[in-house]
Amino acid sequence: MALATVKLPPTPDESPEVFVDPPKIITTPCDPWPRPYHLEDGLRKVLPYHFTYNTYCKQRWRGREILDIFATEFRDRPQEYYKDAIECGRVVINGQKVSSTHAIVKNGDVISHTLHRHEPPVTAQPIGIVHEDNDMIVINKPAGVPVHPAGRYNYNSIVEIMRAERGHGWNPLPCNRLDRLTSGIMFVGKHAKAAEKLTNQIMARTVKKEYVARVIGNFPDGDLICDQPVMQISPKLGLNRARASGKDAKTIFRRLAYYPPVTATNGAQPNGLDNRSERERERDSKMEWKAKKGYSIVRCLPLTGRTHQIRVHLQFLGHPISNDPIYCNQRVFGPSLAAGDALSDDDEDIISRLSKMGKSEAAEAMAYHDEMMEEYNKRKAEKMTGELCAVCDTPLYSDPGPQELGIYLHARRYACQDGNWDYQTPLPVWALPPPGMDGPADSTTETDPMALVDEVGELKLDTTKPNPNEYTEPSRPLWVMPG
């Protein structure tokens, strides 16, 4: 007797599967080619253009109102702009205008934002070519240019500038990332296989890196290791600090040169007379950094790759990069510039003060805090002008000043641990001896710190996660600041 299979009708509590269309993606109205660059006053500028951002709902956005997401996650424009953009349909969810600014964002949603985009200018300095073959381009990245399109930057990025120079269809593949304000060695793959190979080398920590920085004061002589963990305090502002509960981080430092000031930092003249006014003496007494005379050129070897690691470690050691608008900013960190501070609980105050930089006042480093320089840089630094764009009513920024196009931090050398390749650049101009002073103008065998990793030996990193309920004494650098 043969058996037959009979398909039963669906039970009342079952319903047929319904196909759901994928979320609609809004596309950029135009993709201008050639790119709308123009060079002016040493800057590469981009003419404003319309552009659409698309992003899937992030996990932390689920169940939140659309206006709340834009107001808290994005710093580019004021909340009033985002409210108007949502109500007018420039911000949509899954291609559809939302009913109100209180619309809830769900998992799987695509948020699209079409706007009249204003990119900040960057330096017009060309991207230097250190080495090029069939697989890889080694470049000398100019300071102030971001690697990838992000935030307010799109066409003014290393990726898009190189694409504009080599053809619309060319796809540059960066293998390492430098902060926007940092200059120096970068690797750009010509095809995916080459990019993946070098990226894996860097991830495996088989590539030695050497940076050079210019810091305030007389940096200690000899080899110095800082192993303070680094924690991200504000993703929105890109702020990191030395924190005992942060991620493992280790940097070796070696002073290359120290250059004392021509006149004393405290305002005294070479004859010993102090010509400062009472107001100036009172002002200087509140600035601990004023006692740090001159500046040092320091070699930096990061053994880990945390964001802002070198900048945070130099700040912790009391010798921040002298024109760093974040970590050498008295208006943000106070007179001590957070030297030796890994335990304070003032993060919210720091975030609040930093968020004001570049809006109502210029972001300025301590090197520019002197009274005469302060007024000059307030005029020259990038900040809101009070004017609005005639097309979109976006608040306009002034052009950035010279101090905002980069900081005194340069990725000078990358070398394969096995000796297969070694690329380096000359010392940047700001690291050369000042007029009338003697000092190293390039690397020498005696001052080359790349062998330090071998001399110190393999430095093991503790990968165990700390118990949040158990206090552990923070690690200390081998060299401890006096006092």
Side-chain angles (χ1 to χ4, degrees):
M1 179 177 172
L3 297 177
T5 302
V6 179
K7 187 175 182 180
L8 298 175
T11 57
D13 59 339
E14 290 182 353
S15 56
E17 184 177 349
V18 178
F19 175 77
V20 179
D21 290 328
K24 292 182 180 179
I25 304 294
I26 307 298
T27 58
T28 294
C30 62
D31 184 20
W33 187 267
R35 299 304 190 209
Y37 296 123
H38 69 283
L39 306 182
E40 180 183 351
D41 298 330
L43 298 173
R44 179 189 294 269
K45 299 183 178 183
V46 178
L47 297 174
Y49 57 96
H50 285 90
F51 184 84
T52 299
Y53 293 92
N54 290 294
T55 180
Y56 275 93
C57 171
K58 300 182 186 297
Q59 185 173 0
R60 64 179 181 272
W61 296 356
R62 298 175 188 173
R64 292 172 57 187
E65 296 180 359
I66 181 69
L67 179 58
D68 176 55
I69 292 172
F70 273 91
T72 57
E73 296 277 343
F74 303 98
R75 187 174 179 239
D76 187 30
R77 304 186 185 213
Q79 181 171 333
E80 292 74 19
Y81 167 84
Y82 293 119
K83 180 177 183 296
D84 182 69
I86 294 169
E87 292 174 343
C88 294
R90 296 194 300 274
V91 171
V92 299
I93 298 179
N94 301 330
Q96 301 296 318
K97 182 179 177 181
V98 297
S99 58
S100 77
T101 58
H102 302 292
I104 300 299
V105 176
K106 305 183 297 299
N107 183 30
D109 284 347
V110 174
I111 302 172
S112 303
H113 179 201
T114 300
L115 76 166
H116 192 233
R117 190 164 183 170
H118 296 255
E119 291 197 40
V122 298
T123 177
Q125 178 185 343
I127 298 172
I129 304 299
V130 177
H131 169 81
E132 181 172 359
D133 56 34
N134 293 330
D135 301 317
M136 189 72 59
I137 308 173
V138 184
I139 67 170
N140 187 359
K141 171 190 168 303
V145 186
V147 176
H148 299 279
R152 296 166 61 201
Y153 298 87
N154 181 28
Y155 296 136
N156 265 346
S157 62
I158 293 295
V159 165
E160 290 299 332
I161 292 172
M162 293 189 73
R163 194 194 315 276
E165 293 174 346
R166 294 176 178 246
H168 189 277
W170 189 68
N171 185 31
L173 302 170
C175 305
N176 64 315
R177 187 185 68 83
L178 296 180
D179 293 338
R180 176 177 66 86
L181 297 176
T182 305
S183 60
I185 293 285
M186 269 197 63
F187 297 86
V188 180
K190 289 186 172 181
H191 54 84
K193 186 175 180 180
E196 181 181 10
K197 179 180 178 181
L198 187 56
T199 300
N200 290 339
Q201 274 190 277
I202 295 173
M203 295 283 289
R205 295 178 180 168
T206 60
V207 175
K208 298 179 182 180
K209 310 171 191 176
E210 177 198 339
Y211 289 68
V212 62
R214 176 169 156 174
V215 305
I216 63 172
N218 190 353
F219 196 85
D221 202 3
D223 302 329
L224 188 159
I225 300 176
C226 183
D227 60 359
Q228 280 294 322
V230 173
M231 173 180 284
Q232 186 176 64
I233 301 301
S234 171
K236 181 177 179 180
L237 299 178
L239 176 65
N240 298 267
R241 299 192 71 181
R243 284 290 179 267
S245 56
K247 294 182 179 180
D248 287 313
K250 198 180 293 279
T251 314
I252 303 174
F253 297 100
R254 175 181 284 186
R255 190 181 77 189
L256 175 61
Y258 168 65
Y259 299 109
V262 177
T263 58
T265 306
N266 63 4
Q269 301 301 310
N271 58 11
L273 298 177
D274 188 346
N275 296 330
R276 292 176 297 168
S277 66
E278 187 65 31
R279 178 172 174 268
E280 290 171 334
R281 280 193 289 270
E282 181 182 358
R283 177 201 65 191
D284 293 350
S285 68
K286 299 176 182 178
M287 302 180 186
E288 296 176 25
W289 64 274
K290 281 275 189 178
K292 296 179 178 177
K293 304 176 182 179
Y295 65 88
S296 302
I297 305 300
V298 178
R299 291 269 175 73
C300 319
L301 278 78
L303 303 185
T304 52
R306 308 303 177 201
T307 302
H308 293 185
Q309 175 177 317
I310 293 174
R311 298 164 67 181
V312 171
H313 277 174
L314 286 170
Q315 181 195 46
F316 179 82
L317 295 174
H319 294 274
I321 295 171
S322 58
N323 66 343
D324 193 323
I326 297 179
Y327 302 105
C328 193
N329 193 321
Q330 177 175 280
R331 294 186 176 181
V332 174
F333 287 99
S336 70
L337 299 178
D341 179 10
L343 298 173
S344 64
D345 57 357
D346 60 350
D347 291 340
E348 291 302 320
D349 292 338
I350 297 295
I351 291 171
S352 176
R353 290 194 290 269
L354 181 60
S355 66
K356 297 177 182 177
M357 297 292 110
K359 291 187 176 180
S360 59
E361 53 187 288
E364 57 186 20
M366 294 315 309
Y368 299 94
H369 203 285
D370 285 326
E371 199 166 61
M372 292 177 62
M373 290 300 294
E374 183 175 3
E375 293 303 318
Y376 169 77
N377 283 291
K378 277 185 178 178
R379 295 193 302 268
K380 293 296 292 181
E382 179 193 24
K383 59 182 180 180
M384 289 184 178
T385 62
E387 300 176 357
L388 301 177
C389 172
V391 174
C392 62
D393 289 334
T394 297
L396 299 180
Y397 284 81
S398 61
D399 286 343
Q403 75 277 15
E404 292 182 294
L405 293 179
I407 59 174
Y408 296 146
L409 180 62
H410 179 78
R412 183 181 172 275
R413 184 178 176 191
Y414 272 58
C416 174
Q417 185 172 278
D418 299 328
N420 295 328
W421 50 263
D422 185 341
Y423 303 110
Q424 58 184 297
T425 71
L427 288 177
V429 173
W430 48 257
L432 298 176
M437 292 190 182
D438 294 328
D442 211 334
S443 176
T444 66
T445 304
E446 291 74 18
T447 61
D448 184 0
M450 291 296 279
L452 268 178
V453 177
D454 299 325
E455 294 174 9
V456 172
E458 185 178 1
L459 298 171
K460 299 290 186 181
L461 294 176
D462 183 7
T463 57
T464 59
K465 295 184 177 179
N467 184 343
N469 300 318
E470 179 180 318
Y471 173 78
T472 56
E473 182 68 22
S475 56
R476 300 293 182 190
L478 297 186
W479 171 82
V480 180
M481 293 180 299

